[in-house]
Each structure stands twice: as structure tokens, then as C-alpha cells.
Amino acid sequence: MLLKFTVKAAKGAEIRQIEALQKKLSDAARLNAVVGRSFEKTLRNHFRKQNRRPNKRCWRKQGVWNKIAADTAFAGADETSATVTIRNPIIKAKIFGARIKPKGGKKFLAIPAIEARYGMMPSALDDELQFRKTRRGGILGRINSDGTMQVHYWLVRKADVPRDPQALPASSEVAADA
């Protein structure tokens, strides 16, 4: 992003003040460092605002956006640029979208069907859940006394995460903060 500054001096302004301002603005590395730190702050504030949004099912929050904000840091600046890094890999899926597939020799991804199972992996549970095959994968749940099943997880072979158009702040917000 290119920034343009215009300096207007009031009548009777001292030349020394104008020269001092010009000297500050001519140090590109320092100026980029200030802009980079400002961008880091803008990103962190934006991610924290995102964390206040309810999730798709209005279940309890896991603080994903707060974790992304914590992993955002100013990395450095030089004469031509400033670098801000986001070390959380989830941000890539939020910005660009992603296709998630099971890893480690697993066949299915477990998508929670009830809020009590949100944030828990089926393998970490002590409960005896029954598996039923479906056309698209399967379901894991508990068999009730009447023979019906209360579904706890849907098992799928892949999940597509759509891109989030609000994952990054608007360029107008970034420019205003810069």
C-alpha cells in the first residue's frame, strides 16, 4: 500500500519544524515499521470482533478467532515493506476456503450433530457409540431403549469449508487505521 502525505504549513511556521517532519517521513524503514505495527493492531482488533459473531449453529464458542488474533504478529520492516504474520493455519481456510479430508489412515471426518459433542473427537470419548452406515458415510450415536438412535456425529469422507468474505478487514478500515 502506498501512502501519500501532504504537509501544509501555517503562516509563520518555523522552517525547522517542517524540516524535522520531512526528516521523520523520509526514514522509510521507521515509517514502514509504524505502519506495520498499526496493521497488526488492525488485524487483531478485527479478529477479536469476528470472535463475537455467533457460529453457524449458535453453539458455544471455541475462540478460534481469538487464537488467530493471538497468532498475529508484526515480523519486521525495511525500506520497502512491512511484514505482519499470522501463524495460525486456520486463517488460510477462512480466507480461501478449503476441502478437509481425514488424515492418519482414517476414513471419515466426525461432524458433531449435537452441541454436547462440539469440540470433542469421538475417539476421546468413553461412551459406547454405535456406528451405522449411510449413503454418504455414516453416523455415530447412542441406541435408545425403544430402538431409535440419537445421532451424536455425522461421519463424512470430506468437508468443504466455504471462504469467509469477512475473514480480513475491509481495505477502507485498513487505510483509515494506517
Side-chain angles (χ1 to χ4, degrees):
M1 174 189 317
L2 180 64
L3 298 174
K4 183 179 178 180
F5 294 100
T6 303
V7 178
K8 294 183 180 181
K11 209 174 206 183
E14 289 188 34
I15 298 295
R16 282 178 279 170
Q17 288 177 328
I18 295 171
E19 287 173 347
L21 182 59
Q22 180 184 6
K23 185 177 178 184
K24 283 183 181 178
L25 294 176
S26 66
D27 185 0
R30 254 177 72 195
L31 185 60
N32 283 338
V34 170
V35 171
R37 284 190 183 92
S38 173
F39 185 55
E40 172 197 13
K41 191 184 241 183
T42 300
L43 285 174
R44 283 180 179 224
N45 289 338
H46 177 76
F47 295 149
R48 288 184 188 116
K49 273 191 241 173
Q50 292 293 86
N51 201 64
R52 289 191 287 261
R53 287 189 331 190
N55 56 30
K56 192 166 138 182
R57 295 187 178 156
C58 295
W59 288 351
R60 72 183 185 281
K61 310 214 29 94
Q62 291 186 325
V64 171
W65 287 106
N66 279 340
K67 291 173 189 170
I68 292 172
D71 290 340
T72 302
F74 171 69
D78 58 21
E79 296 290 323
T80 59
S81 64
T83 305
V84 176
T85 60
I86 304 171
R87 290 207 166 101
N88 195 314
I90 295 171
I91 191 67
K92 191 174 178 183
K94 297 283 187 187
I95 295 171
F96 303 111
R99 174 165 281 172
I100 301 171
K101 294 183 178 181
K103 294 180 182 175
K106 306 282 186 198
K107 289 183 180 181
F108 299 110
L109 293 172
I111 311 296
I114 59 174
E115 186 175 8
R117 298 300 185 210
Y118 186 54
M120 297 179 185
M121 295 178 60
S123 59
L125 299 173
D126 293 337
D127 296 355
E128 290 293 322
L129 298 178
Q130 301 291 319
F131 171 79
R132 296 284 186 254
K133 189 167 179 60
T134 64
R135 279 185 275 154
R136 291 189 174 181
I139 53 176
L140 278 178
R142 184 173 290 134
I143 305 293
N144 297 326
S145 59
D146 62 355
T148 61
M149 178 183 258
Q150 179 190 14
V151 178
H152 288 233
Y153 293 97
W154 291 292
L155 303 176
V156 296
R157 297 204 182 269
K158 63 180 171 42
D160 291 324
V161 177
R163 70 178 211 82
D164 184 352
Q166 297 175 348
L168 293 175
S171 52
S172 59
E173 183 182 345
V174 172
D177 288 348

